[in-house]
Amino acid sequence: MDVLLYEPEIPPNTGNIMRLCANAGAHLHLIEPLGFSLDNRQLRRAGLDYREWVEVVTYPSLTACLAQLNPPRLFALTTRGQRYYTDCHYQLNDALLFGPETRGLPCTVLDQLPANQRLRIPMCPGNRSLNLSNAVAVVLFEAWRQQGFNGV
């Protein structure tokens, strides 16, 4: 499974996601521009010593990332999605795309995907969003669960 962070802004979130990917056997892909340096102290603190256990690749653009990965299916997580993330049957080489913490994925990215590949996590009415690392954890673990926790 591939986790793609589009223009992440907050170092501790990315550090937590590094740790999460290491523990779930996922690959982490960061799409620039990043809101921090990869040697940021907060990033290292949140990721602890898991940086060496997870493959992290950066790309200058989403186009470059997708050209390199060529995932069979790309799912974008967005509060504007109509389909719940739990209604999807994930496959081993699927890619999960998450937007920046303060603004989410832009319409220019979302509009390139079919509606059934724009997923959302349910929330109580009136709430805006989950923390990015929490959102990645929720969706990644569901995808991994559907794969029978492959690799454990």
Side-chain angles (χ1 to χ4, degrees):
M1 189 72 54
D2 291 295
V3 173
L4 287 63
L5 301 184
Y6 180 88
E7 301 181 3
E9 301 166 325
I10 301 173
N13 282 339
T14 300
N16 288 337
I17 294 165
M18 281 181 184
R19 187 175 183 176
L20 173 69
C21 287
N23 281 290
H27 303 279
L28 181 58
H29 307 273
L30 306 177
I31 293 110
E32 297 175 332
L34 307 181
F36 50 85
S37 164
L38 286 177
D39 59 357
N40 181 287
R41 183 179 61 83
Q42 291 176 311
L43 178 76
R44 286 193 318 271
R45 173 189 270 166
L48 295 174
D49 59 351
Y50 288 89
R51 176 63 178 91
E52 65 191 62
W53 296 97
V54 65
E55 179 182 341
V56 179
V57 182
T58 60
Y59 303 88
S61 68
L62 179 58
T63 302
C65 177
L66 295 176
Q68 178 74 30
L69 292 178
N70 194 25
R73 297 188 307 171
L74 174 67
F75 293 100
L77 278 293
T78 174
T79 57
R80 297 182 297 271
Q82 298 302 309
R83 184 179 182 200
Y84 288 135
Y85 78 99
T86 53
D87 293 337
C88 183
H89 297 286
Y90 299 97
Q91 298 170 8
L92 187 59
N93 294 315
D94 286 343
L96 306 171
L97 175 63
F98 297 84
E101 291 91 332
T102 61
R103 59 191 189 281
L105 290 166
C107 290
T108 55
V109 170
L110 293 171
D111 290 346
Q112 295 178 31
L113 293 171
N116 69 341
Q117 289 176 235
R118 296 185 300 241
L119 308 177
R120 72 183 180 115
I121 299 170
M123 293 180 291
C124 291
N127 289 311
R128 291 179 297 153
S129 64
L130 293 175
N131 172 278
L132 178 61
S133 61
N134 290 339
V136 174
V138 166
V139 178
L140 180 59
F141 267 79
E142 172 60 17
W144 193 30
R145 181 194 69 78
Q146 289 185 19
Q147 298 301 311
F149 296 111
N150 185 26
V152 174

